């Protein structure tokens, strides 16, 4: 019933926006009133997400500024938004509460109700999310209350995840840091709740083109976890084991970012330590730390040790498949395997894995990896003489890379890969165009290499002409 009602409101709401100009017109007025009523009813029964959706739709249906019916509609909507925001704050859902208050602030000056509350003032209070959450937790002195407060913190993390999914990376990075600090102080770095929230912040920072900041955040957490000796792990010291269980995957994340930033020596050191800890703990690589093995495979490939690299990547693939948050790295690992098989002349295996890679990328199960993998596959099929497949995959890769949600690093890598393919066939003008687009999205480390490639293309282009 909930899904049907929400879908019906969404459909009717959109139709009304396109066909009517004011909420005073009968059909739109009815829908607007229905949305307001549904928001109030959903709020009263604790269905906060449904209430928020209904009020957001009502907000979109407000008549344009200057329409005589706008004030009447604003007067009905404004107090409902404030009431929902207050309930969301009491539930610990500070992020969604602020989102709704942003809507109220847009129409606050138009609301003519006497003694209305200020949405601006309420948002200032809500923005103290860190202090408020921490205060709640400090008051909790019983196990039952602590579980309730942890539930509230998880609500905030889920709200941030929804904002991330909507593409609002800036707000997630901003609001999430305060929330993360609360989790650090109350749950500790060695906690799943903290790691789940940190993963969102890291991904948001990467989408904003800030890998250096993301790396710094991760490295700060190492200091809190790296407080044990390996001998304590082997003796199953409880605190040492707990810290090590969180340190191993953290170092794996760090090694990935160090590799991205061209810090190869540091990446290898972090990856090897991650694997070492994982093996002491469990006798085999922990799935969450297995991306370290992929990092080592990439480094070996860069050193020309292709057989060793292939062995490492093949060992990592099944481990990555079993890890909850590693699907993107699984896709990248398959891509690395296919490239290495091609370099080693394993034609049957390479084609099989490239075909599987394309199938995986085209499902967009991990969008951030899809564009790069399709570009790599396009380059492969070009070397096989299949121009039709090359152009098809190239266009798909570019289409994905042009999405607003695509991380800058992925965009730069996609176009750089296509540029490298063009250079291989001495198509310097084509390569130059790809490299110049890549440079616009590249990190400082990527730019250094791209500038050299651009200069070489210009020189070769001049010679060939």
């Amino acid at each position: 019933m909930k899904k049907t009602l929400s879908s019906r409101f969404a459909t009717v709401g959109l139709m009304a926006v396109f066909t009517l100009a004011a909420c005073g017109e009968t059909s739109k007025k009815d829908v607007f009133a229905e949305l307001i009523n549904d928001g109030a009813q959903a709020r009263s029964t604790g269905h906060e997400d449904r209430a928020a959706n209904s009020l957001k739709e009502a907000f979109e249906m407000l008549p344009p500024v200057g329409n005589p019916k706008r004030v009447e509609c604003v007067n009905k909507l404004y107090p409902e938004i404030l009431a929902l925001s207050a309930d969301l704050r009491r539930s610990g859902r500070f992020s969604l509460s602020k989102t709704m208050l942003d809507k109220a602030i847009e129409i606050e000056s138009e609301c003519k109700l006497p003694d209305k509350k200020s949405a601006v003032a309420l948002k200032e209070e809500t923005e103290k999310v860190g202090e408020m959450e921490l205060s709640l937790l400090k008051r909790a002195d019983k196990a039952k209350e602590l579980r309730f407060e942890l539930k509230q913190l998880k609500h905030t993390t889920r709200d941030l995840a929804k904002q991330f999914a909507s593409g609002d990376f800036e707000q997630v990075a901003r609001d999430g840091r305060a929330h993360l600090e609360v989790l650090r102080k109350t749950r500790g770095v060695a906690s799943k709740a903290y790691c789940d929230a940190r993963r969102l912040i890291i991904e948001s920072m990467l989408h904003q083109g800030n890998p250096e900041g993301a790396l710094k955040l991760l490295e700060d957490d190492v200091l809190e976890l790296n407080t044990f000796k390996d001998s304590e792990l082997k003796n199953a010291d409880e605190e040492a084991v707990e810290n090590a269980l969180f340190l191993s995957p953290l170092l794996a994340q760090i090694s990935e970012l160090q590799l991205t930033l061209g810090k190869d020596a540091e990446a290898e050191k972090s990856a090897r330590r991650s694997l070492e800890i994982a093996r002491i703990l469990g006798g085999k690589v922990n799935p969450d730390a297995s991306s370290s093995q992929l990092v080592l495979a990439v480094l070996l490939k860069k050193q020309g040790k292709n057989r060793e690299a292939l062995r490492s990547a093949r060992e990592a693939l099944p481990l990555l498949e079993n890890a909850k948050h590693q699907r993107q790295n699984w896709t990248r690992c398959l891509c690395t395997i296919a490239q290495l098989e091609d370099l080693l002349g394993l034609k049957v295996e390479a084609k099989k894995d490239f075909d599987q890679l394309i199938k995986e990328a085209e499902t967009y199960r991990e969008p951030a990896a899809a564009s790069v993998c399709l570009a790599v596959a396009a380059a492969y099929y070009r070397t096989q003489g299949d121009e039709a497949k090359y152009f098809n995959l190239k266009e798909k890769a570019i289409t994905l890379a042009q999405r607003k949600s695509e991380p800058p690093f992925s965009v730069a890598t996609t176009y750089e890969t296509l540029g490298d393919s063009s250079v291989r066939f001495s198509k310097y003008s084509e390569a130059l165009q790809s490299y110049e687009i890549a440079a616009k999205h590249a990190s400082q480390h990527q730019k250094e290499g791209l500038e050299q490639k651009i200069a070489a293309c210009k020189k070769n282009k001049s010679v060939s002409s």
Side-chain angles (χ1 to χ4, degrees), residues 3 26 41 105 121 148 160 177 197 213 235 249 297 322 366 374 391 407 451:
K3 184 176 181 180
T26 304
Q41 182 181 0
I105 289 170
F148 174 71
L160 289 169
R177 289 303 290 268
N235 293 328
N322 294 329
E366 287 298 339
L374 288 173
F391 281 111
E451 286 170 358

Side-chain angles (χ1 to χ4, degrees), residues 166-197:
S166 72
D168 194 353
F169 307 121
E170 182 179 355
Q171 185 168 347
V172 173
R174 184 180 63 249
D175 294 351
R177 289 303 290 268
H179 175 58
L180 194 63
E181 191 58 30
V182 172
L183 284 165
R184 180 198 294 272
K185 291 177 180 177
T186 57
R187 311 306 300 180
V189 173
S191 71
K192 184 178 181 300
Y194 179 84
C195 291
D196 287 344

